Amino acid sequence: MVHVYNCHPFSSQQIVQVEQQPGLICCGGGALFVVATGGCKVEAYNVEKDGCPFICRFATMGTVKSIQHSTMGDYLVTIEEKNSATYLRAYTNWRYQAEGKARVGVRLLGHLLRGASVRGGVQMEIIEIPLSERPVAVACCSVTGDLLVGCENTLVLFALRRQNQQSLNQSQQMFPNTWTNSQQSSSQSQGQITGSNQNFLDFERSVILHLPKLKPKQVALCGVYVAVQAELEVLVLKLDASSEPKTLEESLDAKKTDHLEDQADFQVLPRHQELLGDRAKDCDIPVSIEKTGLEDSAGQYTLSYVLFRRFTPDFFQGCSVEETQLHSLQLYPLFTSNQSVSLEEPSCIFCFFSLPSAGYLYSLKGGVELLSAYQYPEKVLKAVLTDHLLHVITKNALQCFTVRCAAVAARIEDPYIDSTIKACPPCSLEVCALRMQLFIGLRSVCVYGRHVILLSTADAETPEEPERTTQRRGLELKEHTLLTGIFLAVGLDPATTPALESLLSRPFLSRKWTISSPKETSAAGHGWNLYVVATVSPLTLYQEMVEYSQRFAETNPQPQSLRHLLSEAHLLLRTSLLQTSEQQRNIEEDSVPSLQTDADGPAEKQTAAQTDSQELEEALRQNCAQLGDCFSRGSQMDCHLALPYYRMSGLSVTEIMARNRPLPSSPHSYGPGFLFYLKHYLLEETEQILSQEAADEVIDIFSQSEPSQLISVCASPSLINISPAQTLRILQHLEDTAGVSVPLTTTMATMMLRLDDLPQYTHLIERHAEMLLVYGFIEEPRLLLHGRGGGQHTHIRPTALTRQLAKSQPGLLVAAVVALHENDKVQLEQADHIFKELGCENCLQVDFWEAMLMASSQETIIQELLFRVASVYIDRLTNTTSDTHTNEPRTPSRRRPLKSADDLINSCSHYGALYPWLTVLNPAHTTSSQHQEALYKLQSLLCGPSLSVGSVVPLMERLSEETLWGFSLHLLCATRSGQYDGSIEKLLDRCPQAIIAYANHQLQDKHMVLWWQKLLPELCNRTRAAADNGILLAALKETLVVVAMETSPTEFLELMPDDGTASYFLPYLLTCSQRRLMA
């Protein structure tokens, strides 16, 4: 479906003063090129200046049948006929003819002019491009300047090369394929005239494609994409250069099908077919690559099918089947704002082609997709695609349609399109026709920038008409002869029967062909005109669309046409904003070479471009606000689009509320899209805080429209200024109607806090058990935390309720924050920041870490928390005194922890029970309570299974071994590290009374041998030196008992010291022998 709007995209028109009747036209580089009918001369006119002044005129070497201009390189390429032969020629440096220089150089492809021709200065050059087949169509790449030539059954690709005069002598000795590609040097100006550093253009044949089953009528080229069009078929290929040698030739006999030997009296109609992407290779059009002999240096090419479309001929408003042919093939590139046009390939490439009745626009990059199908109201002769509009001509009218190129480019440029942040009208949005401008006898059209050039010949046939007239007359004669023979065979003479003679005068077998007498062209040459129609700026057209849309808004604020027209205006603005102002200036300077000096300097151009960009951005914001208004009152299906459009508008929430406030006389309430936007705005953590009036209005909106959302709305940080008394009345009414709930009770308690009513606050909080309150905080975390939604480094802050809980119910606060973390409502660093904001980093924060160790199952978090609590315990042991008689004031940071060491040992698997030998080293009531609590917790961590001892050893250096409790911690670390020998020696030195307890606990299983390998020798040596040491003697006896139980008599005898008393060891040896005998 095509919508029709009576907008005015055309601002003015002027007639180009051409002396002779134009036959062919093309444009580019700021110039209009006109070839007179049947002539051998090209005239150039400046379309960017009023009146289209004449630039230059130069002669061609033959009758021009086709002409194209290339922006890159600023050259013309023509297909010419002379003496029944067809030639392909390129005309470079044509602008120098404007200076009155008659010098023209003619050369073959690959042969640069040398000697006096070069020393005499730059001149116009005609490059003869030899071909083995007759050229049918030609196309130039707007990105690289390369040349594609379509012949009878082949496509020949020529790469544009640029040669500098200073290196001309050296390059003449090299192969042409060593020259610099124009794609790499395209940033240079194409129209430089001067001096010593002159550029010479040439072409190099790079690849030949054979299409034995396709006869090209039109070709197109853009980057690596090649398009070829036959009468009813379109094929798009992709040519990628590859450095790896590959065999790319395909057999020309592949995919051949049997053909009928005689089809003279039959017409085979092909079936309709559309193959996109990888499926296009299944078409019956084989393509093969012919090597050019330059592959060693230029590399190989890989060929892939992109798009294939075949149509079936059909009747259309007086257009015969034979006239149903494709035309206007075009590959159109589009660059985004983060690209450099001269250095990168386009972000988007579009393919357009047209039948007389319909046009088709495809997107090729990022997946082949049909964007739009244009249904024409009458037979279209030619169409031209631009980034803003599609211009088509019929016999008597110029029409323009909208395009969807900007919708595709916007999604490639910005990954946040189609999200809650940004939006853009879909690529599938139905197109619309903006204007139909009447002309007489339109014949050809071309577009440059904002200029549409039209050629009209009211009293002349189209170029195809003479040939078609001849064909029709031949077929009509054949039909007349055939039918006359049939009537004579049955005895009827048509010459004597007027009715039969009248019947035979009508064409039957030629379908809808009609006989028309040839029109005589006026001898005076009148009846033709060459128009230059200027289009308005996108901003002007946008403003007209906005005015046009207001007519729909006045009658019905929710028509589909209003939304569609605003979407069209949005895409129009997006198209203009795709390129930055600097790139637009560079494109204009590079693509519009001129021999005259501009009046405005670069600074003025840049300032003007920046001003235009600012105006377009402001217009886009206004359009987003209008689209937001449409979707805010729309249906439930697309009401979510109000959110991104309102965000893109830059309006504040107060302004958006004012735009959506229903009129007093209107029965309509707030739209679903507006409520959707408001909910998302309040759910997100923004820095914009509403005034009390606006906040109270928000509460009133939701109390009327969605009372179930009031709890979330009240918890929003944006509504910090709401009136607590008024909100409390609304919440009380909600409780009366919907019932009691934990989040609702907590919200009401928060309002009581803001009213400084602590008794009523306490009453509300005590309604529910602490565990139910924790579940309520999980359901609505913003009752405790604001700013949690922006990531780890977002500034997060506690609420008034959080501060009150820290004072009155710290255990509830810690449990709530742990629950929020475990339910992914808050991150660990954010929770730490909350306790620092509360000033509880040395008490509640440690309690939170200890509680997290009990609740968390994530290994990385557990190891991080174990290191943190171990560091805190070491800090407390370092900074607190072990003297029990010191009276220190109890500060908030030194309040009693929520969990004691015994609580942690009993409830947390990461805290282990204290080893028995530690009780010998930790006699009771020798340290303060805080010091002792920290010591027990650290010892419990070291006795547990989870703490990595190596991570805390550097921190343990702060603790001295002079005290027994310090010595016990170092001994724990050494034991956990497996240093048993050293631990036994240190323990015998500092506290020998603990050695047996240590050995009974630590020297088990695989470490049992240390009883007789380490402990027994140490005790023997030490008792020998101190025979009266009762502690050592008792330890020796206990050790001998264990050794006698674990060794054989022979081993026991070997362990006895040489100077030992036999009577002392004899009882133990006897015990060992008896155990052996019993075993």
Side-chain angles (χ1 to χ4, degrees):
M1 178 181 178
V2 177
H3 295 255
V4 180
Y5 301 114
N6 190 23
C7 297
H8 298 78
F10 309 118
S11 60
S12 63
Q13 72 179 40
Q14 52 186 331
I15 297 178
V16 183
Q17 301 298 325
V18 184
E19 296 179 358
Q20 299 180 352
Q21 179 178 353
L24 297 173
I25 60 172
C26 76
C27 55
L32 166 64
F33 303 95
V34 181
V35 180
T37 302
C40 301
K41 190 172 294 185
V42 177
E43 296 179 348
Y45 299 86
N46 192 336
V47 297
E48 295 189 317
K49 294 186 177 181
D50 293 337
C52 298
F54 177 79
I55 298 178
C56 65
R57 179 186 296 112
F58 56 90
T60 61
M61 299 179 66
T63 303
V64 179
K65 296 298 182 181
S66 175
I67 183 170
Q68 294 287 334
H69 176 269
S70 173
T71 300
M72 304 304 298
D74 192 30
Y75 66 88
L76 288 166
V77 60
T78 62
I79 297 177
E80 304 176 9
E81 286 187 0
K82 187 175 184 180
N83 299 329
S84 301
T86 306
Y87 302 91
L88 180 67
R89 297 186 175 100
Y91 294 79
T92 65
N93 297 332
W94 56 269
R95 294 181 184 271
Y96 293 95
Q97 298 300 307
E99 296 182 343
K101 297 181 179 180
R103 294 167 51 87
V104 177
V106 182
R107 62 180 175 89
L108 281 176
L109 174 77
H111 296 268
L112 293 178
L113 297 177
R114 306 180 65 180
S117 298
V118 174
R119 292 192 297 269
V122 178
Q123 61 184 6
M124 176 176 163
E125 285 188 352
I126 304 176
I127 304 175
E128 192 82 28
I129 304 177
L131 295 168
S132 59
E133 298 182 17
R134 184 177 68 90
V136 177
V138 65
C140 304
C141 177
S142 60
V143 179
T144 64
D146 294 345
L147 179 63
L148 180 66
V149 182
C151 301
E152 293 293 338
N153 291 110
T154 59
L155 300 178
V156 186
L157 179 62
F158 294 89
L160 177 66
R161 306 301 184 190
R162 194 183 300 272
Q163 181 66 20
N164 189 278
Q165 182 183 355
Q166 294 179 350
S167 59
L168 181 60
N169 295 330
Q170 291 87 352
S171 64
Q172 286 286 347
Q173 301 173 1
M174 302 179 184
F175 291 103
N177 53 41
T178 61
W179 297 345
T180 305
N181 193 295
S182 65
Q183 185 176 359
Q184 300 172 350
S185 60
S186 59
S187 59
Q188 302 177 8
S189 175
Q190 302 103 344
Q192 293 177 350
I193 312 172
T194 60
S196 61
N197 191 18
Q198 299 162 359
N199 289 328
F200 299 89
L201 301 181
D202 200 20
F203 298 91
E204 176 185 77
R205 188 178 64 175
S206 59
V207 66
I208 301 175
L209 302 179
H210 290 273
L211 299 90
K213 296 180 62 178
L214 195 67
K215 292 185 178 181
K217 296 296 183 181
Q218 276 188 291
V219 293
L221 176 65
C222 183
V224 296
Y225 291 89
V226 174
V228 56
Q229 171 190 298
E231 287 188 354
L232 292 171
E233 295 167 320
V234 173
L235 178 63
V236 181
L237 306 169
K238 185 178 181 182
L239 274 176
D240 288 315
S242 174
S243 59
E244 298 179 2
K246 295 182 181 179
T247 303
L248 296 175
E249 292 188 356
E250 298 178 8
S251 174
L252 298 181
D253 297 330
K255 300 183 181 179
K256 282 190 176 180
T257 57
D258 295 333
H259 296 274
L260 296 175
E261 294 182 359
D262 186 10
Q263 297 180 352
D265 295 331
F266 299 92
Q267 183 175 5
V268 179
L269 299 180
R271 62 185 179 89
H272 182 83
Q273 194 174 18
E274 181 186 38
L275 301 174
L276 306 180
D278 294 336
R279 295 182 58 235
K281 65 179 182 296
D282 298 330
C283 69
D284 57 353
I285 307 296
V287 181
S288 62
I289 298 179
E290 177 185 340
K291 294 183 178 179
T292 61
L294 303 174
E295 286 79 6
D296 292 340
S297 58
Q300 304 283 344
Y301 285 94
T302 57
L303 180 68
S304 58
Y305 288 78
V306 177
L307 166 66
F308 177 74
R309 186 77 187 262
R310 173 181 288 153
F311 296 91
T312 301
D314 199 0
F315 296 95
F316 172 72
Q317 291 189 1
C319 176
S320 69
V321 172
E322 287 74 12
E323 292 175 334
T324 305
Q325 295 185 7
L326 290 167
H327 60 78
S328 304
L329 177 66
Q330 192 174 353
L331 289 179
Y332 191 81
L334 197 59
F335 292 84
T336 54
S337 60
N338 52 7
Q339 283 191 301
S340 173
V341 176
S342 60
L343 298 179
E344 299 182 21
E345 65 178 34
S347 295
C348 315
I349 294 182
F350 304 94
C351 178
F352 177 81
F353 48 86
S354 181
L355 288 168
S357 59
Y360 301 90
L361 177 62
Y362 286 85
S363 174
L364 301 183
K365 297 194 69 173
V368 185
E369 177 188 6
L370 175 62
L371 295 181
S372 305
Y374 297 86
Q375 299 298 325
Y376 305 136
E378 55 182 315
K379 177 183 176 181
V380 166
L381 304 178
K382 191 175 180 181
V384 180
L385 176 68
T386 67
D387 50 359
H388 290 88
L389 299 170
L390 172 69
H391 300 280
V392 303
I393 59 169
T394 64
K395 187 175 182 181
N396 295 310
L398 166 65
Q399 302 177 22
C400 65
F401 297 83
T402 56
V403 294
R404 298 291 168 261
C405 300
V408 177
R411 286 165 172 81
I412 294 178
E413 180 186 32
D414 194 339
Y416 293 102
I417 292 292
D418 300 327
S419 66
T420 59
I421 301 175
K422 295 181 181 179
C424 180
C427 303
S428 58
L429 183 70
E430 295 175 343
V431 297
C432 71
L434 295 183
R435 186 69 175 175
M436 178 182 292
Q437 195 74 24
L438 297 180
F439 288 89
I440 298 177
L442 288 183
R443 176 177 163 188
S444 183
V445 60
C446 59
V447 177
Y448 174 77
R450 295 178 184 172
H451 304 279
V452 181
I453 296 93
L454 301 173
L455 173 60
S456 68
T457 53
D459 57 348
E461 294 177 333
T462 61
E464 295 84 0
E465 283 180 355
E467 182 180 354
R468 290 179 182 173
T469 301
T470 303
Q471 294 175 354
R472 292 175 186 175
R473 290 171 182 169
L475 187 55
E476 290 164 8
L477 179 61
K478 181 179 178 181
E479 294 173 1
H480 187 279
T481 305
L482 178 61
L483 292 178
T484 301
I486 293 174
F487 285 127
L488 291 175
V490 296
L492 297 176
D493 187 2
T496 60
T497 308
L500 290 179
E501 187 175 5
S502 175
L503 181 65
L504 290 177
S505 65
R506 303 176 184 176
F508 292 94
L509 302 182
S510 59
R511 300 171 183 88
K512 294 189 68 177
W513 283 352
T514 58
I515 300 176
S516 59
S517 59
K519 301 177 182 179
E520 297 181 0
T521 305
S522 173
H526 65 274
W528 52 266
N529 279 308
L530 191 58
Y531 302 95
V532 175
V533 181
T535 60
V536 299
S537 67
L539 188 60
T540 303
L541 184 57
Y542 159 76
Q543 292 169 350
E544 184 182 5
M545 287 182 171
V546 172
E547 296 175 359
Y548 198 100
S549 65
Q550 291 176 354
R551 304 176 191 174
F552 299 110
E554 292 174 357
T555 56
N556 183 6
Q558 276 304 309
Q560 186 67 25
S561 297
L562 171 62
R563 186 181 306 172
H564 184 272
L565 189 55
L566 290 176
S567 299
E568 292 286 4
H570 184 93
L571 291 177
L572 188 68
L573 295 174
R574 273 196 179 274
T575 304
S576 302
L577 287 170
L578 281 177
Q579 298 171 329
T580 62
S581 58
E582 181 178 1
Q583 289 170 335
Q584 289 175 350
R585 178 175 57 86
N586 290 337
I587 293 172
E588 291 174 1
E589 293 177 355
D590 292 342
S591 62
V592 189
S594 176
L595 298 176
Q596 301 178 4
T597 303
D598 294 334
D600 297 332
E604 289 78 2
K605 288 183 178 180
Q606 186 174 5
T607 302
Q610 290 176 351
T611 303
D612 293 341
S613 179
Q614 292 173 357
E615 293 177 353
L616 288 171
E617 290 174 356
E618 177 61 28
L620 184 66
R621 286 191 289 269
Q622 295 176 1
N623 175 262
C624 289
Q626 294 166 343
L627 281 171
D629 294 340
C630 281
F631 289 109
S632 68
R633 306 182 186 94
S635 61
Q636 292 286 348
M637 182 180 300
D638 49 14
C639 66
H640 63 280
L641 292 175
L643 174 61
Y645 280 117
Y646 273 144
R647 278 178 169 171
M648 296 166 62
S649 69
L651 297 176
S652 65
V653 65
T654 307
E655 294 172 323
I656 294 174
M657 289 167 56
R659 297 171 72 101
N660 286 271
R661 195 173 292 130
L663 298 176
S665 59
S666 174
H668 300 287
S669 59
Y670 295 97
F674 170 67
L675 294 176
F676 182 83
Y677 160 79
L678 205 54
K679 281 188 291 186
H680 271 264
Y681 170 82
L682 297 174
L683 285 174
E684 294 173 356
E685 306 297 336
T686 61
E687 297 298 329
Q688 184 179 0
I689 298 177
L690 301 182
S691 63
Q692 180 176 350
E693 181 182 358
D696 291 342
E697 183 179 357
V698 170
I699 296 294
D700 184 63
I701 289 173
F702 281 95
S703 65
Q704 298 176 20
S705 304
E706 293 189 36
S708 60
Q709 298 292 327
L710 276 174
I711 298 173
S712 297
V713 171
C714 292
S716 173
S718 301
L719 302 185
I720 196 68
N721 294 325
I722 57 175
S723 171
Q726 177 182 346
T727 306
L728 197 59
R729 289 193 297 270
I730 296 175
L731 294 176
Q732 185 63 53
H733 179 266
L734 177 62
E735 186 181 59
D736 295 339
T737 56
V740 178
S741 67
V742 175
L744 178 57
T745 301
T746 312
T747 306
M748 295 171 66
T750 303
M751 296 299 121
M752 288 298 180
L753 270 182
R754 298 185 59 180
L755 292 172
D756 295 329
D757 191 347
L758 290 180
Q760 190 63 27
Y761 159 79
T762 306
H763 171 71
L764 290 172
I765 285 293
E766 292 177 351
R767 274 188 183 182
H768 307 283
E770 286 193 353
M771 187 54 64
L772 294 178
L773 291 174
V774 169
Y775 289 146
F777 293 135
I778 295 175
E779 185 176 346
E780 185 47 73
R782 293 184 301 172
L783 292 170
L784 294 178
L785 312 174
H786 282 169
R788 62 179 184 86
Q792 179 175 342
H793 303 289
T794 302
H795 178 67
I796 193 168
R797 56 193 182 276
T799 63
L801 179 60
T802 305
R803 298 184 183 277
Q804 179 62 30
L805 291 177
K807 297 176 183 178
S808 59
Q809 294 174 283
L812 174 59
L813 176 61
V814 170
V817 178
V818 170
L820 292 180
H821 180 274
E822 291 304 298
N823 287 273
D824 298 326
K825 303 293 186 180
V826 69
Q827 300 180 23
L828 183 60
E829 298 299 330
Q830 292 177 333
D832 290 340
H833 182 75
I834 284 294
F835 290 110
K836 291 179 182 178
E837 286 279 330
L838 295 173
C840 305
E841 61 269 18
N842 200 30
C843 50
L844 274 184
Q845 185 176 18
V846 181
D847 293 331
F848 165 71
W849 292 343
E850 293 172 346
M852 281 292 299
L853 285 173
M854 291 187 287
S856 180
S857 60
Q858 303 179 35
E859 185 61 28
T860 55
I861 292 180
I862 289 173
Q863 291 300 322
E864 173 69 19
L865 293 174
L866 286 172
F867 179 78
R868 290 185 182 184
V869 295
S871 303
V872 171
Y873 299 153
I874 292 173
D875 288 338
R876 289 178 178 178
L877 291 173
T878 305
N879 299 327
T880 58
T881 177
S882 60
D883 187 1
T884 59
H885 304 289
T886 302
N887 295 324
E888 296 181 353
R890 181 174 295 273
T891 61
S893 63
R894 293 178 177 267
R895 65 159 185 81
R896 190 174 187 84
L898 296 177
K899 294 289 184 181
S900 65
D902 292 334
D903 295 334
L904 293 174
I905 292 172
N906 295 329
S907 59
C908 182
S909 61
H910 306 295
Y911 288 84
L914 298 182
Y915 297 155
W917 53 272
L918 286 174
T919 58
V920 182
L921 299 178
N922 296 334
H925 309 297
T926 58
T927 59
S928 65
S929 59
Q930 293 184 3
H931 188 277
Q932 188 174 11
E933 191 70 23
L935 176 62
Y936 285 170
K937 287 182 178 180
L938 182 56
Q939 288 177 339
S940 178
L941 273 184
L942 292 172
C943 294
S946 304
L947 178 64
S948 175
V949 177
S951 63
V952 297
V953 166
L955 302 177
M956 297 291 292
E957 296 177 357
R958 298 164 53 189
L959 300 177
S960 173
E961 295 187 26
E962 295 179 358
T963 60
L964 278 180
W965 60 265
F967 171 73
S968 68
L969 294 173
H970 285 279
L971 190 64
L972 270 174
C973 291
T975 302
R976 286 283 305 275
S977 301
Q979 301 173 9
Y980 294 99
D981 293 354
S983 299
I984 291 173
E985 294 176 3
K986 291 181 179 180
L987 193 56
L988 287 173
D989 292 338
R990 292 291 303 273
C991 189
Q993 61 267 30
I995 189 62
I996 297 302
Y998 177 86
N1000 284 330
H1001 188 268
Q1002 303 295 151
L1003 303 184
Q1004 300 294 326
D1005 298 330
K1006 65 179 180 178
H1007 303 297
M1008 181 65 74
V1009 295
L1010 293 177
W1011 280 89
W1012 54 86
Q1013 290 182 0
K1014 181 61 180 179
L1015 182 57
L1016 182 59
E1018 283 289 337
L1019 288 173
C1020 290
N1021 293 335
R1022 292 173 185 269
T1023 54
R1024 186 182 298 113
D1028 57 346
N1029 192 327
I1031 296 176
L1032 293 177
L1033 288 174
L1036 178 59
K1037 291 179 180 180
E1038 293 290 338
T1039 303
L1040 286 172
V1041 172
V1042 175
V1043 173
M1045 294 296 294
E1046 298 294 333
T1047 60
S1048 64
T1050 305
E1051 293 172 341
F1052 188 85
L1053 286 172
E1054 292 177 355
L1055 293 174
M1056 292 176 59
D1058 296 337
D1059 57 348
T1061 304
S1063 60
Y1064 185 83
F1065 292 97
L1066 187 58
Y1068 302 103
L1069 179 59
L1070 181 60
T1071 302
C1072 181
S1073 300
Q1074 291 175 348
R1075 183 187 59 81
R1076 180 74 173 181
L1077 290 174
M1078 292 176 64

